[in-house]
Amino acid sequence: MLAVIGGSGMAQLPCLEISHRQIIRTPYGEPSGPLTFGKINNHEIVFLARHGHGHIIPPHAVNYRANIWALNSLKPKHVIAVAAVGGIHADFKPGMLVIPDQIIDYTYGRKFTFFEGTEQPITYTDFTYPYCQITRDYILEAAKQANEAVIDGGVYAATQGPRLETAAEINRLERDGADMVGMTGMPEVALAKELGLCYATIAVVANHAAGRGSSVLAIPLAEVYAILEKAMVNVRNILQQAAKYNGN
């Protein structure tokens, strides 16, 4: 089974032939919404909208632990997370798709681990390579089969949100080595790593980050949504190809 987490611009998966929806209870509360089950190209898919039905849950309020726990209970072979980002690197232009290979965490106050409390021993998770390389290769091959261009690799800066960043903050992120900025990468990938899930991200560059590009005075949000809508077609093409050989 392939699991897909939809972010901004992907509250549903139109290419999915839905069979049923299911609410999964977890020790960490309820996920963002019911999990949607169905098939793409006759292969089983489960879909979860990260921000809930109607895109109502802001990034800092997402119950990441419940979401990842619920998906893990289904034992998917791969988890593909779709996330909108702002492009910091000059080559990361609006509309492009990136498969990040590293992440820097700037979030705070989020429930970021399953290993807490005095009733269990301290557990350390190797986070040298946060994204599953097997799943990254799987996405890259699907993109190739779908004839969709993607950038292989990049550093994702995860910020708190829901506000966007200042130009000075983006300058700092660039000095830190970040290529793109988003609000949902952490702790999602870390939680997946703790449970041993094969997890990777398709990052959709929705806009130039603050102070970048031609619109240096402000980020044109109306244009962002139009870019996302168009880019999600490319993402769906990749997911459809991924579903074809998910069982291999």
Side-chain angles (χ1 to χ4, degrees):
M1 176 183 286
L2 169 64
V4 177
I5 302 174
S8 296
M10 186 174 277
Q12 56 184 346
L13 198 53
C15 54
L16 182 64
E17 298 175 13
I18 299 174
S19 61
H20 67 285
R21 293 181 173 86
Q22 181 180 346
I23 296 175
I24 296 182
R25 312 287 182 185
T26 82
Y28 306 96
E30 292 190 7
S32 296
L35 274 63
T36 302
F37 294 81
K39 290 185 177 181
I40 297 177
N41 295 319
N42 210 35
H43 289 279
E44 291 186 356
I45 306 291
V46 58
F47 176 80
L48 174 63
R50 183 189 291 114
H51 298 284
H53 180 71
H55 199 266
I56 58 174
I57 307 173
H60 68 286
V62 172
N63 191 339
Y64 294 97
R65 293 197 298 182
N67 287 351
I68 294 299
W69 184 275
L71 291 176
N72 183 64
S73 70
L74 303 172
K75 304 303 179 187
K77 186 170 184 179
H78 299 282
V79 179
I80 298 177
V82 181
V85 299
I88 298 176
H89 193 286
D91 292 339
F92 288 25
K93 296 177 173 60
M96 289 184 168
L97 307 182
V98 186
I99 316 302
D101 60 347
Q102 283 293 331
I103 194 165
I104 304 174
D105 187 11
Y106 299 93
T107 65
Y108 51 88
R110 301 184 182 189
K111 297 291 187 179
F112 59 88
T113 182
F114 292 113
F115 303 120
E116 62 181 8
T118 58
E119 70 280 359
Q120 55 183 323
I122 297 174
T123 302
Y124 299 102
T125 300
D126 184 354
F127 208 48
T128 306
Y129 302 102
Y131 298 98
C132 174
Q133 186 58 45
I134 294 173
T135 302
R136 290 188 72 257
D137 289 342
Y138 168 63
I139 296 171
L140 291 168
E141 179 60 27
K144 180 180 178 181
Q145 294 297 323
N147 199 30
E148 295 288 354
V150 297
I151 297 175
D152 180 5
V155 179
Y156 180 124
T159 57
Q160 182 70 358
R163 71 164 177 84
L164 299 175
E165 300 74 33
T166 67
E169 287 171 331
I170 293 300
N171 289 339
R172 182 188 68 155
L173 299 183
E174 184 175 45
R175 290 194 297 270
D176 287 349
D179 299 305
M180 69 199 94
V181 58
M183 301 175 186
T184 59
M186 287 291 289
E188 194 171 270
V189 62
L191 294 167
K193 193 78 167 181
E194 286 186 348
L195 296 184
L197 281 169
C198 290
Y199 170 108
T201 293
I202 301 176
V204 182
V205 182
N207 55 276
H208 291 288
R212 300 294 191 270
S214 58
S215 300
V216 295
L217 297 180
I219 294 175
L221 294 179
E223 293 179 18
V224 169
Y225 296 121
I227 291 168
L228 272 178
E229 184 177 356
K230 184 178 179 180
M232 287 305 169
V233 175
N234 307 111
V235 173
R236 290 196 295 270
N237 289 339
I238 293 174
L239 294 176
Q240 286 178 302
Q241 286 296 323
K244 285 185 178 181
Y245 61 93
N246 181 48
N248 297 333

